[in-house]
Amino acid sequence: MRKILIVGAGQSGLQLALGLQDRGYEVTLMSNRTADEIRTGKVMSTQCMFATALGHERDLGLNFWESQAPRIEGLGVSVAGPDGSRPVDWVGRLDGYAQSVDQRVKMAGWMETFAERGGQLVIHGAAVSDLDYFARRYDLVLVSAGKGELVSMFGRDAARSPYREPQRALAVAYVHGLGPRPEHPDFHAVRCNLVPGVGEMFVMPTLTTTGPADILFWEGVPGGPLDVFQDIKNPADHLQVTLELMERFLPWEYDRARQVELTDAGGTLAGRYAPTVRNPVGELPSGGLVLGVADVVVANDPITGQGSNNAAKCAASYLDSILAHGDKPFDRDWMQATFDRYWGYAQHVTKWTNAMLAPPPEHVLNLIGAAGQLQPVANRFANGFDDPSDFEHWFFDPELAAAYLASVS
């Protein structure tokens, strides 16, 4: 029986651990927190997972909260005018529904499931020196903890990482009490509100530790009027500033949010990071090799909502590569090839996400505007969040964009 160590108990690490465990591998999972500490801690993300990523969980029988989480059937875009109007406002319908489950709920539940099924769970904040020792005892070591010292083992891939600094300041609040959306009261949708030159706000339904809720998520251009959350420590103050900015820039969203309350004391999050692609193989001081997983090696800004989706798809791709490798050694060539297989998909996410961080060119503005008049365009935008590779065919190139609009006009 092959022995595998996975460091990091997030979406990718746990999904991969449970998948390998189900196939008879001897898996050790290392986490710096217990399940209870995760469940009662602060929110970690804004995870909205689309149909393909949810399918990977379903394939492994890990869709424990599918009947409880709100079904997200659309994705809408509004553009704010300087006078508080919405010159652009549309909703695309998803071919398959999306869902958001608070990672405190999911990761704690999956971690307990892994232990109940006989997995070896080690609660320890691993350093490089720890991995140097442990690596000799395992056939393969995977690192899925995307922050801290371990990431330093994976060098930045400059050719694939155009940004050296964070491109957005992030601020999240989980709330109860958000009013209904009059534009589509019969179904749930993620709403993306664009404030030109200032940033974006995303509003999405979720399932959290206290039941169904909504996420209010600001992405602010650094140094701009939304970049004010860094020093706010009190959750109530965080929510108050969130609402004040909504009233100033997005009055239609503020009207729904006048009565909201935080879901719990841990329901806020703020931070920033530079989107980065890293080399996938890390070398330990003793010469041992480890393979980076998901946002350890491909960390995109959350402006396109791809973090959890990438993590699920990376875990599924790596699982297939491990199973197909049989009893052969997990050497450097295999590690590179395993990442390259995943990068064949992830490159499209990275290209699209980095493009969305920059001011949109004229042809993209035309596409966004056309989606308000042509439902097929709105629907194609929405479903691109599930399969970003589709944007290659109509989004990036002005001639392809014009040809596409002509074909649906």
Side-chain angles (χ1 to χ4, degrees), residues 63-71 97 99 207:
N63 53 327
F64 301 155
W65 302 274
E66 187 168 6
S67 64
Q68 303 169 46
R71 293 193 175 193
Y97 62 82
Q99 289 186 308
L207 178 72

Side-chain angles (χ1 to χ4, degrees), residues 242-261:
T242 297
L243 296 174
E244 289 172 353
L245 292 168
M246 291 172 70
E247 184 178 20
R248 176 180 173 186
F249 292 107
L250 305 171
W252 60 90
E253 296 289 14
Y254 176 72
D255 285 344
R256 303 171 56 221
R258 293 173 183 267
Q259 305 300 319
V260 299
E261 299 177 344

Side-chain angles (χ1 to χ4, degrees), residues 1 6 44 121 150 230 237 289 300 312 353:
M1 183 185 297
I6 299 175
M44 297 178 281
L121 181 61
L150 298 184
Q230 195 78 351
D237 293 341
L289 303 178
N300 292 306
T353 304

Side-chain angles (χ1 to χ4, degrees), residues 12 25 29 50 52 67 74 80 85 87 91 103 111 122 131 146 156 160 173 216 232-233 239 256 291 336 356 368 378:
S12 58
Y25 286 72
L29 180 68
F50 294 89
T52 301
S67 64
S85 64
V91 181
Q103 289 197 343
M111 190 182 293
V122 177
L131 292 196
R156 177 176 177 270
R160 294 170 172 172
L216 308 176
I232 298 176
K233 305 303 180 186
L239 178 59
R256 303 171 56 221
L291 176 61
Q336 185 66 52
M356 293 301 292
I368 293 173

Side-chain angles (χ1 to χ4, degrees), residues 300-315:
N300 292 306
D301 188 278
I303 192 170
T304 55
Q306 295 299 299
S308 294
N309 294 275
N310 270 6
K313 293 172 181 179
C314 182

